[in-house]
Amino acid sequence: MTEAAPRTETVGVSPGRVNLIGEHTDYNEGYVLPIALGERARVTISPRTTGGGDGITVSSVQLDETVEVEDPTPGEHAWWGYVAGVVWALRERGHQIGPVTAVLDSEVPVGGGLSSSAAIESATVLALDAHEGLGLSPEEMAEVAQAAENDFLGVPTGPMDQRASLWCRTDHALLLDCRDLSTTHIPFALPESLTLALVNTRSPHVLADGHYAQRRDACAAAARTLGVRALRDIGPDDLPDALARLDDDEQVRRVRHVVTENARVLEAVEALRAEDWPTLGRVLTASHASMRDDYEITVPTVDLAVETALAHGALGSRMTGGGFGGTVIALMPTDRVDELTTALEAAYVERGFTTPGVSTSRASAGGIELSR
Ligand code: GLA
């Protein structure tokens, strides 16, 4: 009788994120300012005991489903692709990943604009790195996790989400320069009198439906017309001249959003450093207006959440994430969060929308901090 091989399990944990400000700036090589959430994805890797070859078995605790993926190949957009895509991306880069079983257990709401997919990808790369002894650097981990999203699942997102999930730190926002991918951890801990409220608008946001890619294409086309590598290269002072050189009205609006949004991120960083919460709030609200009017990525449920928050004491409020639904953040006086919850319920009922969910958050640990 042969002895059974020892079963070793490795767990990777990585959080969802909220982007405080800097929306649709990442693929324009600009700035973003996310924080990590307390809600996390957990991926447990162990050697595969069924099937042959290099296949993987992926299970989801939430879906109560198990899938055997014999040959992870790009192009299939399914829940297991976030795990299989990381295995594929590692193998593409020459890493030996044996046949493994992955169990996925995530608290990050899907479709909430909180990067549930990046949380899974990041947790998977952390678990595989440890399981296979790969010794990946933080940047390699982020590249692999992003490659799973872009090249395996075919969703053309920028560099923010996986880096936020992996690199954020407790009580800090992550200023990421999406040109050179350099980072600065900016202290972000609100006083007790203020709370970051998250409103789940229950309108699922979807990045794979073409709106995201259209925005990205419009920015690339405008950058070509303006003769710059990326819209990051247009500063606020260059904006009037740049806009005058664009014939296409849609591109005018998109460029105005990206250029002003980059400036707002830097203004928000200064406000955080100075603990100037009213200024932070004002900048958040200006970002929302720009996403609504110029980038045209908000929807009525989202605008209603922002308007309601502002009418009930928010210092500032904006949609976070890719757009067309998802989550709204509001910088609220702590003693008015319950009032906001009640007001949102009433406002949504009146408009015939599904009741939104309100939670609160602080800047939590990213996956790398959690794995230390
Ligand atoms: C999604 C993408 C990110 C970023 C945001 C918008 O979350 O995954 O790369 O582009 O939208 O800021």
Side-chain angles (χ1 to χ4, degrees):
M1 211 174 94
T2 47
E3 257 182 60
R7 267 188 84 81
T8 53
E9 275 194 353
T10 318
V11 180
V13 186
S14 212
R17 63 99 188 95
V18 151
N19 190 20
L20 289 182
I21 192 161
E23 227 62 85
H24 290 263
T25 45
D26 64 347
Y27 52 80
N28 290 299
E29 302 190 8
Y31 302 105
V32 294
L33 192 65
I35 60 170
L37 292 173
E39 286 79 6
R40 294 161 184 162
R42 165 182 292 263
V43 172
T44 305
I45 299 283
S46 57
R48 194 190 196 207
T49 50
T50 57
D54 268 349
I56 60 172
T57 303
V58 191
S59 304
S60 158
V61 171
Q62 279 68 37
L63 298 175
D64 193 18
E65 264 186 59
T66 298
V67 176
E68 306 287 345
V69 189
E70 294 311 330
D71 180 18
T73 318
E76 286 203 63
H77 200 118
W79 63 268
W80 48 264
Y82 301 106
V83 174
V86 172
V87 171
W88 171 84
L90 284 168
R91 287 179 178 159
E92 282 285 296
R93 283 161 177 72
H95 297 289
Q96 300 293 320
I97 308 296
V100 291
T101 292
V103 179
L104 163 61
D105 187 1
S106 180
E107 310 159 340
V108 188
V110 174
L114 301 176
S115 285
S116 54
S117 54
I120 299 169
E121 291 150 0
S122 302
T124 305
V125 77
L126 280 164
L128 285 169
D129 178 62
H131 193 259
E132 308 284 318
L134 304 178
L136 298 175
S137 68
E139 178 49 36
E140 285 170 315
M141 289 189 194
E143 273 174 20
V144 164
Q146 191 187 346
E149 183 88 29
N150 294 165
D151 305 333
F152 190 88
L153 291 143
V155 186
T157 50
M160 165 167 63
D161 299 341
Q162 293 78 11
R163 285 163 186 82
S165 182
L166 286 163
W167 297 353
C168 276
R169 292 189 190 157
T170 307
D171 286 338
H172 288 77
L174 177 74
L175 173 62
L176 177 67
D177 179 331
C178 298
R179 167 150 285 170
D180 62 9
L181 300 177
S182 60
T183 56
T184 314
H185 295 275
I186 312 288
F188 176 53
L190 290 169
E192 260 178 43
S193 58
L194 290 176
T195 293
L196 188 67
L198 308 188
V199 182
N200 179 344
T201 65
R202 311 258 190 241
S203 347
H205 99 132
V206 187
L207 293 181
D209 67 355
H211 291 297
Y212 185 91
Q214 281 163 17
R215 299 296 183 286
R216 211 180 157 142
D217 291 346
C219 290
R224 275 195 302 277
T225 306
L226 297 170
V228 291
R229 170 173 145 175
L231 294 184
R232 149 70 174 272
D233 295 306
I234 314 283
D237 293 344
D238 313 322
L239 188 59
D241 177 54
L243 297 185
R245 289 170 56 205
L246 294 170
D247 298 333
D248 181 317
D249 280 351
E250 185 187 313
Q251 285 180 21
V252 165
R253 295 193 297 279
R254 306 300 184 249
V255 170
R256 190 165 49 211
H257 167 73
V258 172
V259 173
T260 58
E261 184 77 349
N262 273 327
R264 280 187 291 268
V265 175
L266 300 180
E267 219 184 317
V269 166
E270 289 316 309
L272 286 191
R273 288 199 164 116
E275 301 193 357
D276 178 351
W277 310 118
T279 297
L280 177 66
R282 186 178 52 69
V283 177
L284 297 180
T285 305
S287 168
H288 187 79
S290 180
M291 292 191 291
R292 183 191 59 215
D293 302 337
D294 278 345
Y295 224 63
E296 299 173 284
I297 50 171
T298 72
V299 289
T301 45
V302 159
D303 292 334
L304 182 60
V306 169
E307 283 155 25
T308 308
L310 292 173
H312 289 270
L315 275 63
S317 181
R318 65 182 288 275
M319 181 188 71
T320 184
F324 304 100
T327 297
V328 162
I329 61 174
L331 185 57
M332 290 297 296
T334 302
D335 59 6
R336 298 189 70 178
V337 174
D338 288 345
E339 174 192 329
L340 172 63
T341 307
T342 311
L344 280 166
E345 280 170 14
Y348 272 53
V349 166
E350 198 186 315
R351 296 276 293 272
F353 300 149
T354 309
T355 309
V358 179
S359 58
T360 62
S361 188
R362 59 178 283 207
S364 301
I368 288 182
E369 186 177 337
L370 288 167
S371 66
R372 284 208 177 109

